Amino acid sequence: PLQKIGRKRILYRSGIEDTGMKIYVSATTVRSGSGTRQRPFMTIVEAAKVARAGDEVIVAPGIYREWVDPRNAGTEENRIVYRSEEMGKAVISGAEPVKNWENYKGDVWVARIGNGLFGDYNPYTTVVSGDWYFAPDPVHMGEVYLNGRAMYEVLRLEDVQKAEVFSLSWEGDFSRHKWYTEQDEGDTLIYANFLGLNPNEENVEINVRKNCFLPSKEGISYITLSGFTIKQAATQWAPPTAYQGGMVGPHWSKGWIIEDCEISDSRCSGISLEV
C-alpha cells in the first residue's frame, strides 16, 4: 500500500521513498513483485493502481493482454507517464490466443470457447450498432486474427466453406479467410477457414476486451502514453451523438499526450479524444 506523507510517499513492500517514483513492469517476470526494477509488476494494471502524479511507469518488452484502466490523474506540473522501455516492444492487446481448434470439414476448423472468458461483455453476441450506423446486416464486435491479420466475418456457415474473395477488400486472396460465430449452451463457437493451415500451429487470436488503455472514470487527466504497440480490441461504434469509446482514449479527461504509439486493429475506433 501507499501512504502519502507531505510530498513524499513510501511503498512499504519495496522501501522506496520518493516524490516521483519509477515503477517497473515486465510480462516475463516469474512472479509479480512490488514495482521496483529488481521486482517488477507483471501487469500494467498493477502499476496503474499505484501510480500517482509525477510517477513514470516503465514497461519492458512483452505482450500485455489486459485493459489498462488508469486510476489516478497527474497534474499539469507532474504528469503520470506510461512508457515502453523499448519503442514499440511493449504490446497492449485486447485479444487472447485460441489453441483448441478442431477440424470441422476440409479447411474449416471450429473452436469452442466458454463464455466465462468474456465476463459481462461478449464480443461474439454483441453487434456493431449505434446512431448513424445503417448496415442492414451488422457484424459482431469480435474479430479473428491469423498471424496478426484480421480475417473476414460472414453471416452464414456455408460462406465460410465457400471461401470466396470479398470483392471490396484490398487484400485480395487473403479475404478468402472467413469466420462465422454462433452460440451453443453457454459457449461461443467460432468456425474459420484457414485455407490449408493448421490453426493450432499458427498464431490465432480473438478479440476479448473492449478497450486497451482507457480510464473507466472521467477526469483522469495529464497522462502520457509513449512508445507502445496497441492492438486488437472489440470497440463499439462511435456515434457523433453519444459516448465515443476507443481502444485508447482519455474518457473526458484533459492534458493527455499519446506519442510514438502504433495503434491498429480496433473493430471500430482506435483513438477516441472526447473533450
Side-chain angles (χ1 to χ4, degrees):
L2 288 168
Q3 178 179 345
K4 293 185 178 180
I5 305 177
R7 294 188 61 197
K8 294 184 179 181
R9 288 180 285 124
I10 298 174
L11 185 57
Y12 290 113
R13 288 174 295 174
S14 61
I16 294 175
E17 180 178 331
D18 203 349
T19 57
M21 297 192 299
K22 292 186 183 298
I23 303 169
Y24 293 89
V25 181
S26 176
T28 61
T29 189
V30 175
R31 181 179 302 167
S32 191
S34 55
T36 64
R37 181 181 287 278
Q38 295 75 24
R39 299 182 60 235
F41 289 127
M42 187 177 288
T43 67
I44 307 172
V45 167
E46 292 173 282
K49 289 179 180 178
V50 301
R52 299 293 192 276
D55 291 348
E56 182 177 16
V57 177
I58 301 172
V59 184
I63 299 179
Y64 298 84
R65 299 186 185 276
E66 50 185 311
W67 168 20
V68 182
D69 179 2
R71 299 290 183 87
N72 305 301
T75 66
E76 191 169 2
E77 297 78 19
N78 293 290
R79 311 178 64 81
I80 299 177
V81 177
Y82 293 82
R83 188 183 310 282
S84 175
E85 190 173 37
E86 296 183 36
M87 182 76 70
K89 296 297 182 65
V91 179
I92 305 175
S93 174
E96 293 288 339
V98 177
K99 289 295 184 184
N100 64 329
W101 295 94
E102 297 181 359
N103 188 253
Y104 173 72
K105 185 183 299 183
D107 289 334
V108 178
W109 296 65
V110 61
R112 179 178 290 271
I113 301 156
N115 286 342
L117 174 67
F118 307 111
D120 59 0
Y121 176 74
N122 186 338
Y124 302 91
T125 59
T126 309
V127 297
V128 178
S129 63
D131 294 344
W132 295 42
Y133 182 75
F134 303 113
D137 298 307
V139 295
H140 288 94
M141 303 298 304
E143 192 70 277
V144 179
Y145 303 94
L146 172 61
N147 297 324
R149 299 177 69 180
M151 299 173 68
Y152 285 70
E153 183 181 3
V154 293
L155 303 180
R156 301 183 306 171
L157 180 55
E158 50 263 41
D159 291 333
V160 177
Q161 296 168 313
K162 289 178 182 177
E164 296 176 344
V165 171
F166 179 45
S167 61
L168 299 180
S169 172
W170 292 356
E171 296 189 291
D173 193 60
F174 186 82
S175 69
R176 296 175 57 217
H177 290 85
K178 311 288 191 183
W179 66 274
Y180 164 80
T181 187
E182 63 184 18
Q183 295 294 301
D184 180 56
E185 298 182 350
D187 293 331
T188 292
L189 300 184
I190 297 178
Y191 299 84
N193 195 320
F194 294 101
L195 299 179
L197 297 177
N198 181 339
N200 295 314
E201 297 175 355
E202 307 295 329
N203 179 26
V204 180
E205 302 164 284
I206 62 169
N207 281 354
V208 172
R209 286 167 286 278
K210 186 186 300 186
N211 310 110
C212 287
F213 193 101
L214 187 143
S216 58
K217 299 188 301 181
E218 302 173 22
I220 308 299
S221 301
Y222 298 107
I223 299 290
T224 294
L225 184 66
S226 181
F228 288 86
T229 295
I230 304 172
K231 61 182 183 177
Q232 299 172 332
T235 52
Q236 183 54 281
W237 176 252
T241 54
Y243 170 72
Q244 299 177 341
M247 188 159 55
V248 180
H251 191 182
W252 292 315
S253 305
K254 66 180 181 179
W256 275 48
I257 297 173
I258 302 170
E259 61 182 12
D260 298 325
C261 293
E262 182 172 322
I263 298 173
S264 67
D265 291 296
S266 176
R267 190 50 152 161
C268 289
S269 295
I271 302 176
S272 176
L273 298 176
E274 312 98 332
V275 293

